[in-house]
Amino acid sequence: MTDRLTTALRGLADGVPAAAVPEDLFDAARRRHRGRRAAAAGALAVLVLVLSVGYALRPVALPAPSASRVDAPGLPSRLVAPRLLTASVDGSPPGPAAALFGGPAVRSDWHEDRMAVVAAGADRYRRLDAGPASPGFDALLSPDGRHVWAGGRLFDLTTGEHTGAGVHGHPLAFAPDGRRLAYAAEDTFTAPNTYATPYVGLYDRERRADVLRVPVGTAWVPPGRAAVTPDGGTLAIQVRNEVWLTRVADAGADGTATPYLKLPGRLAGPGAWLPDGQSVAVVSRKTCGRCPGPVPTYRRSWQLVVPTRLTAASFPAVNSATFVQVLGWRSADEAVALVGVPGPDAVNRPDEHDIASSPYHEPGTAAVQVVLLRRGAAAPEVLWRTPDGVTELSVAADLAVDGAVRKAGEPDFGPPPSWLVALGLAGVTLLVGAGIGLVRSRRRRRRARPAGEVASAPGG
């Protein structure tokens, strides 16, 4: 390249006007970059929140509970009240249960219908949401502990699922093998305050149909007042002050049958039938002269009687008890029963009302015991007791009859509820978003400060 050409090119370049660059070009580019980055972070946070909430609230059953932590299932030696955030049965099934329980220790002013189950093979406690029902009265645990019958539904404690019980009415009793359900048809009401049970039915879960219906008439049969024989062929019902015995084999073409025998007295409970299926036990209520116990003034005594069996030795009297409910028999001479322990507020009222409505749901009960009533013994043998405040109880009869009590360990209340997990994730996301917004706001305020103020700042 010659000198003249070089000089000409330089002159040409010097004559070209300089490119005008806006003063805030780089600042604007930086702001756009930061805005895109903040928008991407916000979108990512929203996506994480949506996915987290969706995952936490997804309608999927949790896996089956792990293996038992004990060698053999049984009633825990120490029963505890479930805490506020105990997992539900449908969200985290506990497996076969040892007991279904309720009472002041379980409920609160905000959880009036709360009841709980404890597993038979481990200290898994779960909440059961079945509406207003009382364990042992109108919420029943099956003899094998696999099902709870409450609120017109049958809950499977091994899967957490529930279906209709197949009956329209309130529960009375499970058959010993759990395949048949005794129930009272929905009440009829006559003003001003008269209730009546049209009939009592025996429902077969395998056939999905009633195998027996017993017309009751104008009487009312409250929850829990029936018993089914071990073979499921005979039904005992408490009707006013009588026990009606009716056989499935006597049912006519329409499935109804009339009692073949009516016994005076009070049905002893869902396990009132003796192992032979031919004899049924009743309980009589008396007044004891000097009743031992936590409330000596509660002078109520119960006596277990088998009317069709005459033997010299009798069962021991159960003194200072609000109720007695037989669960089953080890032999013809040994019965296992639930016994109500009176509290300081218990009042031994005269037995003037319809005896069918008691003794089970008796006010003033402070705790419940599982006892062994042995013919000829001086007193009942206490096998297990609930803590004070657990006043409503339904136990797995198979475990209670065997006297299976295991050593309790650390209670497991299950995973936190899904709504709490979702709320926690949402809270974390909102905190992260607030932090990002705070940082951006501080940067904007810093950029908005005048250049002279920045230059005169200390150390600037």
Side-chain angles (χ1 to χ4, degrees):
M1 181 180 297
T2 62
D3 295 337
R4 293 181 60 186
L5 180 58
T6 300
T7 303
L9 291 175
R10 288 178 177 174
L12 182 61
D14 292 339
V16 175
V21 179
E23 296 181 358
D24 61 343
L25 175 64
F26 297 105
D27 292 336
R30 189 179 297 111
R31 285 195 299 270
R32 286 194 299 270
H33 175 68
R34 290 174 177 172
R36 294 191 188 102
R37 187 170 58 186
L44 180 61
V46 171
L47 179 62
V48 170
L49 174 62
V50 172
L51 292 178
S52 300
V53 173
Y55 180 80
L57 301 180
R58 70 194 190 284
V60 60
L62 296 178
S66 59
S68 301
R69 300 197 302 263
V70 294
D71 295 333
L75 295 166
S77 58
R78 179 177 59 91
L79 188 69
V80 300
R83 64 186 185 187
L84 180 61
L85 298 180
T86 300
S88 63
V89 165
D90 55 351
S92 177
L100 168 71
F101 60 99
V106 179
R107 296 190 291 265
S108 67
D109 293 340
W110 293 95
H111 304 87
E112 297 179 352
D113 302 330
R114 200 161 178 251
M115 65 183 91
V117 296
V118 58
D123 290 282
R124 285 188 292 267
Y125 288 84
R126 297 295 184 267
R127 184 187 78 253
L128 180 67
D129 300 321
S134 301
F137 188 63
D138 44 12
L140 305 178
L141 183 63
S142 63
D144 61 2
R146 294 177 60 90
H147 296 90
V148 170
W149 183 12
R153 293 173 290 174
L154 203 62
F155 294 82
D156 189 332
L157 300 180
T158 61
T159 64
E161 300 176 351
H162 61 81
T163 59
V167 303
H168 297 286
H170 54 253
L172 296 179
F174 277 96
D177 60 5
R179 290 186 296 180
R180 290 185 172 178
L181 311 176
Y183 71 97
E186 294 179 346
D187 302 333
T188 59
F189 175 72
T190 302
N193 58 355
T194 302
Y195 292 87
T197 300
Y199 65 88
V200 171
L202 187 61
Y203 178 81
D204 191 293
R205 294 173 55 198
E206 294 181 350
R207 299 182 187 180
R208 297 185 179 180
D210 288 347
V211 295
L212 176 66
R213 288 191 177 186
V214 182
V216 176
T218 59
W220 179 61
V221 180
R225 309 309 295 167
V228 185
T229 53
D231 63 358
T234 308
L235 177 64
I237 314 166
Q238 180 78 59
V239 180
R240 294 195 177 94
N241 60 350
E242 295 179 329
V243 179
W244 292 7
L245 309 182
T246 311
R247 287 184 288 254
V248 174
D250 295 338
D254 58 354
T256 63
T258 57
Y260 70 87
L261 183 63
K262 295 181 180 181
L263 299 173
R266 193 189 311 257
L267 188 67
W273 285 100
L274 271 69
D276 61 6
Q278 303 298 317
S279 305
V280 65
V282 297
V283 290
S284 61
R285 171 178 161 170
K286 302 178 181 179
T287 300
C288 50
R290 298 180 61 183
C291 285
V295 185
T297 57
Y298 193 81
R299 299 171 57 192
R300 183 183 296 185
S301 178
W302 302 93
Q303 185 73 48
L304 181 64
V305 180
V306 181
T308 57
R309 296 176 64 92
L310 300 177
T311 58
S314 60
F315 291 95
V318 184
N319 296 323
S320 292
T322 57
F323 67 85
V324 174
Q325 188 183 50
V326 173
L327 300 174
W329 300 75
R330 294 183 180 179
S331 67
D333 297 324
E334 293 182 325
V336 176
L338 294 180
V339 172
V341 179
D345 299 330
V347 178
N348 185 23
R349 303 184 185 280
D351 194 14
E352 321 180 309
H353 54 286
D354 185 353
I355 67 170
S357 64
S358 70
Y360 189 70
H361 208 243
E362 189 75 18
T365 301
V368 184
Q369 294 175 338
V370 177
V371 304
L372 175 64
L373 301 175
R374 183 181 290 109
R375 193 186 296 273
E381 177 186 347
V382 178
L383 305 177
W384 187 74
R385 173 181 168 136
T386 68
D388 289 349
V390 176
T391 61
E392 301 163 3
L393 180 69
S394 180
V395 300
D398 294 348
L399 296 177
V401 171
D402 291 340
V405 178
R406 59 176 176 79
K407 184 178 180 181
E410 189 68 22
D412 168 23
F413 298 107
S418 56
W419 63 265
L420 182 61
V421 176
L423 184 62
L425 292 173
V428 171
T429 303
L430 290 176
L431 287 176
V432 172
I436 294 175
L438 180 61
V439 171
R440 293 184 61 191
S441 176
R442 293 184 63 182
R443 287 178 175 175
R444 284 195 299 268
R445 288 198 302 269
R446 187 176 301 172
R447 287 194 302 268
R449 293 168 64 184
E453 181 182 345
V454 174
S456 61

